Amino acid sequence: MTELVSPVVSLVRTQRGRWLWAAWWSGPPTRVPFRKPDASNGGAASREEALAAAELAAGRALHEIDFRWARGWNRVLRGQPPFTPADLRALDGVSAPKTKRGPRPPRQVLGVEKDASADEIKAAFRKRAFETHPDRGGDADEFREVHDAYERLRGD
């Protein structure tokens, strides 16, 4: 008996405003281990152009799936794990748990000591912002917390 496979494509906009596509037609994408796509490419100027290129490569119509699969492939290409915890929650359809805690001290959020210089605070902010920015797979609420902490420390 043969397994029925629905050919799929995932499309994501890149940091440079272009479109990356990743297509699977010989089998579905899997998380563990992450199954690389049968074909992928980036640089399309529009979403429609990316979809057309993917369907041309596959030689058939493709069903579109969540953009996180293409972003996961892009992360793998950069040597990173395919999914962030926020991506996994979203793919599972689970929202992030909301905690009722007061704001953390800004120095704790940025991970700096009490006697940190302005340059050390700025460097810590840049590092944490890079880790938590939503465009890089981070959590928007955590990014806001990092930004607010930096603003409070900068005003001191």
Side-chain angles (χ1 to χ4, degrees):
M1 176 182 260
T2 60
E3 182 181 336
L4 295 175
V5 176
S6 175
V8 296
V9 65
S10 178
L11 305 165
V12 69
R13 194 170 183 115
T14 65
Q15 290 177 326
R16 294 186 175 173
R18 306 297 276 176
W19 287 87
L20 168 76
W21 60 268
W24 293 262
W25 57 81
S26 63
T30 59
R31 289 185 200 177
V32 180
F34 183 83
R35 184 173 181 275
K36 73 178 210 167
D38 295 309
S40 67
N41 202 348
S46 69
R47 190 175 178 290
E48 292 76 22
E49 183 182 317
L51 181 59
E55 289 179 339
L56 181 66
R60 62 188 94 173
L62 299 170
H63 174 73
E64 190 173 341
I65 59 173
D66 195 289
F67 72 92
R68 288 173 186 85
W69 288 99
R71 186 166 67 188
W73 176 238
N74 194 21
R75 289 174 55 85
V76 167
L77 291 174
R78 292 183 302 187
Q80 300 172 337
F83 302 111
T84 64
D87 286 340
L88 292 173
R89 285 191 303 270
L91 287 171
D92 289 338
V94 177
S95 61
K98 299 292 181 187
T99 58
K100 284 195 165 193
R101 66 173 185 222
R104 294 188 297 167
R107 293 184 187 281
Q108 180 184 4
V109 173
L110 296 180
V112 295
E113 298 296 324
K114 187 173 185 171
D115 59 347
S117 69
D119 288 339
E120 291 171 326
I121 291 170
K122 187 174 187 178
F125 165 69
R126 286 183 174 179
K127 180 182 177 197
R128 291 286 295 137
F130 185 81
E131 296 168 351
T132 60
H133 197 282
D135 290 348
R136 297 222 175 246
D139 182 57
D141 292 332
E142 191 176 356
F143 177 73
R144 274 190 224 94
E145 182 182 31
V146 168
H147 188 268
D148 291 343
Y150 178 65
E151 290 294 317
R152 285 186 292 178
L153 286 177
R154 216 173 65 164
D156 287 353

